[in-house]
Amino acid sequence: MANFETVEVSTDLLILGGGMAACGAAVEAAYWAKKNGLKVTLVDKAALDRSGAVAMGLSAINQYIGLKENANTVEQYVQYVRQDLMGVTREDLVYNIARHVDSTVHLFEKWGLPIWKDKEGNYVHEGRWQIMINGESYKIIVAEAAKNALGTDNIYERVFIVEPIMDGDRIAGAVGFSTRENKFYVFKAKAVIAAMGGAVGVFKPRSSGEGLGRSWYPPFNSGASAYFTIKAGAEMTCQEVRFIPVRFKDAYGPVGAWFLLFKSRATNAMGGEYMVERAEELKNWGPYGSAKPIPANLRNYLGMLDTNEGLGPIYMRTEEAIAKLASAAGSEKEFKKKMKELEAEAWEDFLDMTISQAILWAATNTAPEEKSSEIAAAEPYFIGSHSGASGAWVSGPEDIAPAEYNWGYCNMTTTKGLFAAGDASGASSHKFSSGSHAEGRIAAKSAVRFIVENNAMPNVDAAVVEELKAKILKPVDLFEQNCNFSTDPEVNPNYIKPRMYMFRLQKLMDEYAGGVSAQFTTNQAMLEKALELLAFLKEDSEKLAASSLHELMRCWENVQRTWQAEAHVRTMLFREETRWPGYYFRADKPKMDEENWKVFANCKWDPANGEWS
């Protein structure tokens, strides 16, 4: 076996991840752990300052209720989320996050996050639930608070967590490896919070070659949360609900500010506005298509209909929107001044969070006040915190959750002692960055309570840990044993390198599970073929090889993506309707079936026999 030092760490609470949910968990756990004499340890695959979906920054906080301003009610937010997810959402979880999220936003401001204010000192809203921020340092500010709360001695960065450690039906910790030095880590814990983000790279991206990593959602999120919770035997939910964002084409710049703040229109190449011209189609998706706001997937779908009929490209009419806003300024001098302000805001929206889009504008001589920009539906992502819903099935809050949705500790999965937050917890979408942080806090408080009431360290079988170590480091051994067999180490009959494996997975999912090239359409036969090919791919995953620690990480990222892919295909196959056109369309079941399928589709992998149910 590869020469790796084994490092053992014992703690009371183990937080896995470094994004918004993990940082929220760190702040809250540190407070309650101190009161109860407990130790908290956080492990992040990356570096906390720039880890997670907010890594590059953000131009808006997308969940703020405005309770102290009496702007909205929690019930109204729950109604909005239920509507956007076509009726399938855990209202108890959404309610619980929404009633706490404002306090998290106020913490951000207290820690130093600049939030836009109007002349009266009120937050500037992008939309009803969104407030504008200067967010290029958003994650750094939130990470600093987490580091101050935990202390850097209790934070392990650049450590890639792979497998859970189990003691019967209870979580006992996690194992992984350093991506910087030859160390294998064994973390033993009384409770674990999974907050390792969602998954990108499961489907073939629109951008290829040098642009392969230029996805909208961070390319380093590889399904670690789903893999970890599935392998721990936790029940999963909404694995079919992937999210497809419409973004500025090729650099994946966000469109939210343009629709909500700049009040821009999107039109096809002929000038037709699909949201107006195809309004009749929305009646086929009642009651959701006739309500306001129109669900994100249905807005996607109307644009896709234009594209499929050869009316593309689809354009964001940036020049029209800026001119319209500036025209209200009055005199010519005021008009020019307003135009300059709006132009600066247009660029800042990208410089805050998607710098590649600003670079693309510059590279293609695009001045947004003069020229429209193309927008397009991106490849599918798995993000339970945004407009998707995939994640673990977790226990709801005791005071409001129905009995069947509550098993004692809020945000605990069906595996004892394993909690989930952010993208790791399912059926509670539209929490975004602020709600993920709030849910991390909720999960941490519950996890500390669990430890206080179950304060015994689970048993860890040393022989099982050694087996996991051999399995995780196998790609290194495989490469060392076989790399000299061929003149080019990238091509070898005895192993497969992670990059080629990833291309196979992405091609498979793209073609058979409704990716970009299949116009997001699939059917039973295609999904069954996908499962057949995934079985072959999983066999070949045993031959993944790594020439470095970086490639070892890439090997296990691929395995994580493969498990996310299988959970997705199996659940899409199970749900015999089309509920989210615009995210995916089942051509053999083209209609929504409220009578039979207004239900959660949950799946579970049994570690005892390797069977899915």
Side-chain angles (χ1 to χ4, degrees):
M1 184 167 37
N3 186 25
F4 277 63
E5 175 192 353
T6 297
V7 180
E8 292 192 3
V9 179
S10 288
T11 189
D12 293 297
L13 176 59
L14 179 63
I15 300 169
L16 302 178
M20 296 299 285
C23 287
V27 168
E28 194 75 16
Y31 176 81
W32 293 105
K34 189 175 181 180
K35 285 182 173 293
N36 290 280
L38 302 176
K39 180 183 178 183
V40 182
T41 302
L42 182 146
V43 183
D44 185 20
K45 163 184 171 179
L48 215 57
D49 283 350
R50 290 295 190 188
S51 185
V54 181
M56 274 201 295
L58 214 58
S59 59
I61 287 174
N62 286 332
Q63 187 186 14
Y64 181 74
I65 311 302
L67 295 177
K68 75 173 185 179
E69 299 94 336
N70 293 316
N72 301 291
T73 67
V74 170
E75 288 80 5
Q76 287 169 329
Y77 195 78
V78 173
Q79 183 181 9
Y80 155 64
V81 177
R82 179 177 64 234
Q83 160 73 10
D84 200 75
L85 263 290
M86 307 291 277
V88 179
T89 192
R90 279 282 298 275
E91 296 184 21
D92 59 318
L93 298 176
V94 175
Y95 188 101
N96 199 31
I97 295 165
R99 64 179 168 179
H100 293 298
V101 73
D102 286 11
S103 67
T104 271
V105 174
H106 299 149
L107 279 177
F108 295 161
E109 189 170 28
K110 179 183 172 184
W111 295 336
L113 178 68
I115 301 177
W116 291 18
K117 302 276 182 64
D118 62 18
K119 290 176 183 176
E120 286 74 46
N122 300 312
Y123 291 156
V124 173
H125 279 258
E126 181 182 77
R128 181 175 181 179
W129 312 106
Q130 300 85 7
I131 56 175
M132 298 299 293
I133 62 173
N134 290 109
E136 64 275 8
S137 297
Y138 184 15
K139 185 63 209 306
I140 293 172
I141 290 165
V142 173
E144 183 181 37
K147 288 192 282 191
N148 289 341
L150 281 188
T152 53
D153 289 347
N154 295 311
I155 297 172
Y156 292 79
E157 294 183 324
R158 308 292 185 188
V159 174
F160 186 87
I161 291 296
V162 183
E163 297 278 347
I165 310 172
M166 303 300 297
D167 178 12
D169 65 348
R170 180 177 173 177
I171 195 80
V175 293
F177 57 91
S178 167
T179 61
R180 290 294 184 272
E181 49 191 345
N182 284 16
K183 290 183 178 179
F184 180 81
Y185 282 90
V186 181
F187 294 95
K188 301 174 183 179
K190 297 168 185 172
V192 176
I193 298 174
M196 297 174 277
V200 67
V202 176
F203 284 80
K204 185 164 72 175
R206 276 194 184 273
S207 293
S208 57
E210 55 81 27
L212 190 64
R214 195 190 293 134
S215 56
W216 162 73
Y217 190 64
F220 44 77
N221 272 128
S222 58
S225 296
Y227 179 79
F228 192 88
T229 47
I230 290 169
K231 291 299 291 289
E235 189 171 326
M236 307 297 287
T237 190
C238 298
Q239 292 300 300
E240 78 279 31
V241 194
R242 82 268 191 99
F243 173 49
I244 293 174
V246 166
R247 290 291 180 260
F248 281 92
K249 190 171 177 292
D250 296 326
Y252 294 82
V255 298
W258 284 97
F259 281 132
L260 297 170
L261 187 69
F262 290 95
K263 310 297 181 190
S264 180
R265 296 188 309 145
T267 69
N268 61 36
M270 318 304 161
E273 192 174 352
Y274 55 84
M275 292 302 298
V276 175
E277 295 179 348
R278 296 191 182 273
E280 280 296 304
E281 174 63 27
L282 295 173
K283 294 177 182 177
N284 295 326
W285 305 96
Y288 315 105
S290 57
K292 301 291 183 187
I294 298 163
N297 63 289
L298 291 180
R299 298 198 302 271
N300 285 5
Y301 183 54
L302 299 189
M304 288 173 184
L305 291 174
D306 268 19
T307 303
N308 293 346
E309 289 183 14
L311 299 175
I314 305 295
Y315 290 106
M316 183 73 77
R317 301 298 303 274
T318 58
E319 79 295 352
E320 176 187 281
I322 288 176
K324 191 173 181 181
L325 286 171
S327 64
S331 68
E332 187 178 347
K333 184 179 179 181
E334 288 170 336
F335 172 79
K336 287 180 178 178
K337 182 183 176 185
K338 188 63 178 175
M339 281 290 285
K340 283 286 183 188
E341 286 176 12
L342 291 168
E343 182 191 348
E345 284 179 10
W347 285 89
E348 186 181 342
D349 182 44
F350 295 137
L351 292 170
D352 269 350
M353 62 185 286
T354 317
I355 296 167
S356 56
Q357 186 65 50
I359 293 170
L360 187 67
W361 266 358
T364 54
N365 296 333
T366 299
E369 72 277 15
E370 298 173 1
K371 182 180 176 183
S372 297
S373 286
E374 195 176 344
I375 61 174
E379 65 278 4
Y381 306 116
F382 297 91
I383 20 179
S385 67
H386 202 288
S387 300
S390 57
W393 185 249
V394 301
S395 181
E398 292 175 11
D399 60 330
I400 56 171
E404 66 270 27
Y405 293 174
N406 173 263
W407 45 94
Y409 298 94
C410 191
N411 276 79
M412 188 168 82
T413 69
T414 57
T415 296
K416 190 176 179 182
L418 176 58
F419 295 76
D423 286 320
S425 72
S428 55
S429 58
H430 288 74
K431 45 199 167 195
F432 304 105
S433 61
S434 53
S436 292
H437 192 278
E439 191 179 29
R441 294 171 62 199
I442 292 164
K445 190 173 180 179
S446 292
V448 170
R449 193 181 123 214
F450 172 86
I451 293 166
V452 169
E453 295 174 4
N454 300 269
N455 202 359
M457 186 65 80
N459 294 315
V460 174
D461 188 329
V464 170
V465 170
E466 281 302 307
E467 285 176 18
L468 288 172
K469 182 179 181 181
K471 172 185 169 182
I472 290 169
L473 300 181
K474 181 183 172 184
V476 176
D477 293 330
L478 198 60
F479 180 80
E480 288 178 355
Q481 291 161 10
N482 295 285
C483 62
N484 292 324
F485 187 84
S486 57
T487 53
D488 182 354
E490 295 297 309
V491 182
N492 194 300
N494 299 303
Y495 59 67
I496 180 171
K497 294 296 284 293
R499 188 175 177 86
M500 298 311 297
Y501 182 101
M502 181 184 70
F503 288 151
R504 279 179 60 189
L505 172 65
Q506 290 178 346
K507 175 176 162 55
L508 183 169
M509 293 298 289
D510 178 64
E511 293 177 1
Y512 296 101
V516 170
S517 69
Q519 300 293 340
F520 311 108
T521 300
T522 187
N523 59 37
Q524 181 177 335
M526 300 282 270
L527 292 169
E528 287 172 348
K529 186 67 176 177
L531 278 181
E532 179 189 340
L533 295 173
L534 278 169
F536 296 147
L537 195 61
K538 284 178 80 175
E539 283 181 21
D540 286 351
S541 72
E542 296 292 326
K543 296 290 187 181
L544 277 163
S547 61
S548 64
L549 289 170
H550 182 76
E551 278 204 334
L552 182 62
M553 178 182 72
R554 292 286 184 238
C555 288
W556 284 104
E557 283 179 337
N558 278 327
V559 174
Q560 291 171 345
R561 288 187 176 103
T562 304
W563 281 72
Q564 174 63 84
E566 184 172 2
H568 178 54
V569 170
R570 287 184 181 278
T571 314
M572 275 205 297
L573 197 51
F574 178 75
R575 183 181 283 279
E576 296 183 335
E577 64 158 358
T578 294
R579 181 163 290 265
W580 297 279
Y583 292 166
Y584 75 89
F585 194 88
R586 268 198 66 167
D588 55 341
K589 304 284 181 182
K591 289 188 167 41
M592 186 169 63
D593 182 353
E594 284 279 272
E595 187 178 342
N596 296 305
W597 286 102
K598 192 180 178 182
V599 293
F600 295 103
N602 287 12
C603 66
K604 184 178 179 181
W605 179 79
D606 188 344
N609 58 23
E611 304 265 321
W612 288 85
S613 56

